[in-house]
């Protein structure tokens, strides 16, 4: 059991390796419009250069998250070579705190959310070897509480997002044995609701973002048997509205970001065929800025790097032609995940 947990990849690897068969996707099934790949690439590259723009200013404290969103999008588009990777690695390492955790930018306080983004960025660039694995894994393990939950930082906020982040991070680092995985799983299960979904803490309202975190953590630890897949699948498929987009909770507007949160969860529990994939793909493509690049939350709204990533990631799960496959649990390209756990790349 320890060897299965320490790799943390059995469930997700099987999903990633069999997605074309088990999930029933066929590229020819989808009647989609055009993804403006080159314009999205130029948009992503321009965000970093326009440091005085509103988007850059408001993202100053979460710049490491933004780096993950932008760089992962570029990788899914097959354009990661357009960035100076050594410069990125140097900047990421300057965000590390003496505690071992990473901050959202140089000089800011560390948090587990930014720590995962740092690990994911370094994994994308195949530079995990620059990390002091013991120092980093000890920082993450030190955030686990006695009940199995995780704090986000030294100030003590608890959220199932942090449980996912800790499990995902430690799995990538091959260090899951540094935490009490059984207690971590039990805490996540305690956040399960009568509707099949999950909240941020026990009794918290079911929300698609929290559901991804909980399902992803359970997938990585080989614990998906704790989920009522039909009940959760029904709740998730009910998130699709008439426009084809997905919302995060009942009676809310659709938002491109849920093309990831909902779709990845449906993928992990093998219920993605319960939604209309064509309509969802059309909704995402309708949210593009076809002139300047970028993707927004809804058609005709302002674009941002966050929704650009989740839109492209959603299209990857829908097997949009020309995009690299993305792992639904680790939120990294499948070839990157295979390199981490199997030391090999997977062809697109």
């Amino acid at each position: 059991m320890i060897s299965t947990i320490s790799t943390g990849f059995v469930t997700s690897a099987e999903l990633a390796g069999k997605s074309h068969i088990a999930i029933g996707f066929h590229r020819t099934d989808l009647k989609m419009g055009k993804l403006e790949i080159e314009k999205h690439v130029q948009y992503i590259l321009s965000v970093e250069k326009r440091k005085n723009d509103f988007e850059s200013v408001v993202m100053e404290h979460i710049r490491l998250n933004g780096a993950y969103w932008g760089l992962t999008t570029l990788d899914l588009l097959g354009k990661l070579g357009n960035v100076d990777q050594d410069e990125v690695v140097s900047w990421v390492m300057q965000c590390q705190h003496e505690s071992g955790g990473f901050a959202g930018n140089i000089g800011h306080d560390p948090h587990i959310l930014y720590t995962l983004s740092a690990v994911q960025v370094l994994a994308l660039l195949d530079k995990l070897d620059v990390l002091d694995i013991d120092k980093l894994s000890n920082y993450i393990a030190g955030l686990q509480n006695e009940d199995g939950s995780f704090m986000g930082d030294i100030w003590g906020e608890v959220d199932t997002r942090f449980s996912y982040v800790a499990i995902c991070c430690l799995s990538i680092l091959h260090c899951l044995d540094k935490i009490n995985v059984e207690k971590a799983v039990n805490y996540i299960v305690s956040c399960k609701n009568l509707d099949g979904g999950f909240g941020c803490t026990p009794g918290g309202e079911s929300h698609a973002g929290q559901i991804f975190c909980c399902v992803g953590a359970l997938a990585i630890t080989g614990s998906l048997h704790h989920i009522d897949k039909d009940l959760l699948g029904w709740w998730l498929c009910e998130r699709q509205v008439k426009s084809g987009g997905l919302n995060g909770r009942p009676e809310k507007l659709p938002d491109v970001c849920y093309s990831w949160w909902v779709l990845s969860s449906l993928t992990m529990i093998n219920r993605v065929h319960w939604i209309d994939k064509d309509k969802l793909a059309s909704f995402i493509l309708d949210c593009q800025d076809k002139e300047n690049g970028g993707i927004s939350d809804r058609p005709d709204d302002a674009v941002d790097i966050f929704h650009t990533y989740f839109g492209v990631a959603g299209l990857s799960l829908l097997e949009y032609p020309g995009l690299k496959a993305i792992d639904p649990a680790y939120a990294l390209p499948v070839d990157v995940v295979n390199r981490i756990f199997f030391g090999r790349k997977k062809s697109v």
Side-chain angles (χ1 to χ4, degrees), residues 290-316:
K290 295 182 179 180
E291 294 183 6
N292 302 307
I295 299 176
S296 59
D297 58 347
R298 285 178 283 279
D300 300 321
D301 282 356
V303 303
D304 58 65
I305 199 76
F306 175 84
H307 290 94
T308 300
Y309 163 62
F310 286 113
V312 172
L315 289 173
S316 174

Short mmCIF file of all heavy atoms in Angstrom, two decimals, residues 290-316:
data_model
loop_
_atom_site.label_atom_id
_atom_site.label_comp_id
_atom_site.label_asym_id
_atom_site.label_seq_id
_atom_site.Cartn_x
_atom_site.Cartn_y
_atom_site.Cartn_z
N LYS A 290 -10.87 37.19 -30.50
CA LYS A 290 -10.29 36.70 -31.76
C LYS A 290 -9.35 37.70 -32.40
O LYS A 290 -8.61 37.35 -33.33
CB LYS A 290 -11.41 36.32 -32.72
CG LYS A 290 -12.25 35.15 -32.22
CD LYS A 290 -13.32 34.75 -33.22
CE LYS A 290 -14.13 33.55 -32.69
NZ LYS A 290 -15.18 33.14 -33.65
N GLU A 291 -9.35 38.93 -31.91
CA GLU A 291 -8.45 39.94 -32.47
C GLU A 291 -7.13 40.03 -31.70
O GLU A 291 -6.05 40.09 -32.28
CB GLU A 291 -9.13 41.31 -32.49
CG GLU A 291 -10.33 41.39 -33.44
CD GLU A 291 -10.92 42.78 -33.47
OE1 GLU A 291 -10.34 43.69 -32.83
OE2 GLU A 291 -11.97 42.95 -34.11
N ASN A 292 -7.23 40.04 -30.37
CA ASN A 292 -6.04 40.27 -29.55
C ASN A 292 -5.61 39.06 -28.72
O ASN A 292 -4.58 39.12 -28.04
CB ASN A 292 -6.29 41.45 -28.61
CG ASN A 292 -6.65 42.72 -29.38
OD1 ASN A 292 -5.92 43.12 -30.28
ND2 ASN A 292 -7.78 43.33 -29.03
N GLY A 293 -6.37 37.98 -28.77
CA GLY A 293 -6.05 36.80 -28.01
C GLY A 293 -6.55 36.84 -26.59
O GLY A 293 -6.98 37.88 -26.09
N GLY A 294 -6.52 35.71 -25.92
CA GLY A 294 -7.04 35.60 -24.56
C GLY A 294 -8.46 35.08 -24.55
O GLY A 294 -9.18 35.17 -25.54
N ILE A 295 -8.86 34.55 -23.42
CA ILE A 295 -10.21 34.00 -23.22
C ILE A 295 -10.79 34.61 -21.97
O ILE A 295 -10.10 34.81 -20.97
CB ILE A 295 -10.16 32.46 -23.11
CG1 ILE A 295 -9.60 31.85 -24.41
CG2 ILE A 295 -11.55 31.89 -22.82
CD1 ILE A 295 -9.41 30.34 -24.36
N SER A 296 -12.08 34.93 -22.02
CA SER A 296 -12.78 35.56 -20.90
C SER A 296 -13.69 34.57 -20.19
O SER A 296 -13.84 33.42 -20.62
CB SER A 296 -13.60 36.75 -21.40
OG SER A 296 -14.55 36.31 -22.37
N ASP A 297 -14.33 35.02 -19.11
CA ASP A 297 -15.23 34.14 -18.37
C ASP A 297 -16.50 33.83 -19.15
O ASP A 297 -17.01 32.71 -19.13
CB ASP A 297 -15.57 34.74 -17.01
CG ASP A 297 -16.21 36.14 -17.10
OD1 ASP A 297 -16.17 36.75 -18.20
OD2 ASP A 297 -16.71 36.62 -16.06
N ARG A 298 -17.01 34.85 -19.86
CA ARG A 298 -18.20 34.71 -20.69
C ARG A 298 -18.01 35.52 -21.97
O ARG A 298 -17.17 36.43 -22.00
CB ARG A 298 -19.45 35.20 -19.93
CG ARG A 298 -19.92 34.23 -18.85
CD ARG A 298 -21.11 34.76 -18.08
NE ARG A 298 -20.72 35.78 -17.11
CZ ARG A 298 -20.21 35.52 -15.91
NH1 ARG A 298 -20.03 34.28 -15.52
NH2 ARG A 298 -19.90 36.50 -15.10
N PRO A 299 -18.76 35.22 -23.02
CA PRO A 299 -18.58 35.94 -24.28
C PRO A 299 -18.65 37.46 -24.10
O PRO A 299 -19.48 37.98 -23.36
CB PRO A 299 -19.75 35.44 -25.14
CG PRO A 299 -20.01 34.06 -24.62
CD PRO A 299 -19.78 34.15 -23.14
N ASP A 300 -17.73 38.16 -24.75
CA ASP A 300 -17.66 39.62 -24.80
C ASP A 300 -17.15 40.29 -23.53
O ASP A 300 -17.13 41.52 -23.45
CB ASP A 300 -19.02 40.22 -25.19
CG ASP A 300 -19.50 39.73 -26.55
OD1 ASP A 300 -18.65 39.60 -27.45
OD2 ASP A 300 -20.71 39.47 -26.69
N ASP A 301 -16.75 39.50 -22.52
CA ASP A 301 -16.14 40.09 -21.33
C ASP A 301 -14.64 40.27 -21.56
O ASP A 301 -14.08 39.78 -22.54
CB ASP A 301 -16.38 39.19 -20.10
CG ASP A 301 -17.78 39.35 -19.54
OD1 ASP A 301 -18.53 40.21 -20.05
OD2 ASP A 301 -18.13 38.62 -18.60
N ALA A 302 -13.98 40.97 -20.64
CA ALA A 302 -12.54 41.18 -20.75
C ALA A 302 -11.79 39.87 -20.49
O ALA A 302 -12.15 39.10 -19.59
CB ALA A 302 -12.10 42.24 -19.74
N VAL A 303 -10.75 39.62 -21.27
CA VAL A 303 -9.98 38.40 -21.12
C VAL A 303 -8.99 38.54 -19.96
O VAL A 303 -8.66 39.64 -19.52
CB VAL A 303 -9.21 38.06 -22.41
CG1 VAL A 303 -10.17 37.96 -23.58
CG2 VAL A 303 -8.13 39.11 -22.71
N ASP A 304 -8.51 37.41 -19.46
CA ASP A 304 -7.45 37.40 -18.46
C ASP A 304 -6.72 36.07 -18.56
O ASP A 304 -7.19 35.13 -19.20
CB ASP A 304 -7.99 37.64 -17.05
CG ASP A 304 -9.03 36.61 -16.63
OD1 ASP A 304 -8.67 35.43 -16.52
OD2 ASP A 304 -10.20 36.99 -16.43
N ILE A 305 -5.56 36.00 -17.94
CA ILE A 305 -4.70 34.81 -18.05
C ILE A 305 -5.33 33.60 -17.37
O ILE A 305 -5.15 32.46 -17.80
CB ILE A 305 -3.30 35.12 -17.46
CG1 ILE A 305 -2.27 34.11 -17.96
CG2 ILE A 305 -3.33 35.17 -15.94
CD1 ILE A 305 -1.83 34.34 -19.36
N PHE A 306 -6.07 33.84 -16.29
CA PHE A 306 -6.76 32.77 -15.54
C PHE A 306 -7.73 32.03 -16.43
O PHE A 306 -7.67 30.80 -16.57
CB PHE A 306 -7.48 33.42 -14.34
CG PHE A 306 -8.33 32.49 -13.53
CD1 PHE A 306 -7.78 31.72 -12.51
CD2 PHE A 306 -9.71 32.43 -13.74
CE1 PHE A 306 -8.58 30.90 -11.73
CE2 PHE A 306 -10.52 31.61 -12.95
CZ PHE A 306 -9.95 30.83 -11.96
N HIS A 307 -8.64 32.76 -17.07
CA HIS A 307 -9.65 32.11 -17.91
C HIS A 307 -9.06 31.59 -19.21
O HIS A 307 -9.58 30.62 -19.79
CB HIS A 307 -10.82 33.06 -18.17
CG HIS A 307 -11.66 33.31 -16.97
ND1 HIS A 307 -11.45 34.39 -16.13
CD2 HIS A 307 -12.69 32.60 -16.43
CE1 HIS A 307 -12.33 34.34 -15.14
NE2 HIS A 307 -13.08 33.27 -15.29
N THR A 308 -7.97 32.20 -19.67
CA THR A 308 -7.30 31.68 -20.86
C THR A 308 -6.78 30.27 -20.59
O THR A 308 -6.95 29.36 -21.40
CB THR A 308 -6.15 32.61 -21.28
OG1 THR A 308 -6.67 33.92 -21.55
CG2 THR A 308 -5.44 32.09 -22.52
N TYR A 309 -6.15 30.11 -19.42
CA TYR A 309 -5.65 28.78 -19.07
C TYR A 309 -6.78 27.77 -18.95
O TYR A 309 -6.74 26.69 -19.53
CB TYR A 309 -4.85 28.81 -17.76
CG TYR A 309 -4.68 27.44 -17.16
CD1 TYR A 309 -3.99 26.45 -17.87
CD2 TYR A 309 -5.22 27.11 -15.93
CE1 TYR A 309 -3.85 25.17 -17.33
CE2 TYR A 309 -5.09 25.85 -15.39
CZ TYR A 309 -4.40 24.88 -16.11
OH TYR A 309 -4.28 23.61 -15.59
N PHE A 310 -7.82 28.12 -18.17
CA PHE A 310 -8.87 27.14 -17.93
C PHE A 310 -9.69 26.84 -19.18
O PHE A 310 -10.23 25.75 -19.33
CB PHE A 310 -9.76 27.60 -16.76
CG PHE A 310 -9.07 27.44 -15.44
CD1 PHE A 310 -8.72 28.55 -14.69
CD2 PHE A 310 -8.77 26.19 -14.95
CE1 PHE A 310 -8.07 28.41 -13.47
CE2 PHE A 310 -8.12 26.03 -13.73
CZ PHE A 310 -7.77 27.14 -12.99
N GLY A 311 -9.79 27.82 -20.08
CA GLY A 311 -10.46 27.56 -21.34
C GLY A 311 -9.69 26.57 -22.19
O GLY A 311 -10.24 25.59 -22.72
N VAL A 312 -8.39 26.79 -22.32
CA VAL A 312 -7.54 25.89 -23.11
C VAL A 312 -7.46 24.51 -22.44
O VAL A 312 -7.51 23.47 -23.11
CB VAL A 312 -6.14 26.50 -23.32
CG1 VAL A 312 -5.20 25.48 -23.97
CG2 VAL A 312 -6.23 27.75 -24.18
N ALA A 313 -7.36 24.49 -21.11
CA ALA A 313 -7.31 23.21 -20.39
C ALA A 313 -8.61 22.43 -20.60
O ALA A 313 -8.59 21.20 -20.77
CB ALA A 313 -7.07 23.46 -18.91
N GLY A 314 -9.74 23.14 -20.59
CA GLY A 314 -11.02 22.48 -20.85
C GLY A 314 -11.06 21.90 -22.25
O GLY A 314 -11.52 20.77 -22.46
N LEU A 315 -10.59 22.66 -23.22
CA LEU A 315 -10.54 22.16 -24.60
C LEU A 315 -9.61 20.96 -24.72
O LEU A 315 -9.86 20.04 -25.51
CB LEU A 315 -10.11 23.27 -25.56
CG LEU A 315 -11.13 24.39 -25.79
CD1 LEU A 315 -10.50 25.52 -26.62
CD2 LEU A 315 -12.39 23.86 -26.49
N SER A 316 -8.53 20.95 -23.94
CA SER A 316 -7.64 19.80 -23.94
C SER A 316 -8.37 18.56 -23.45
O SER A 316 -8.23 17.48 -24.04
CB SER A 316 -6.42 20.08 -23.06
OG SER A 316 -5.61 18.93 -22.93
#
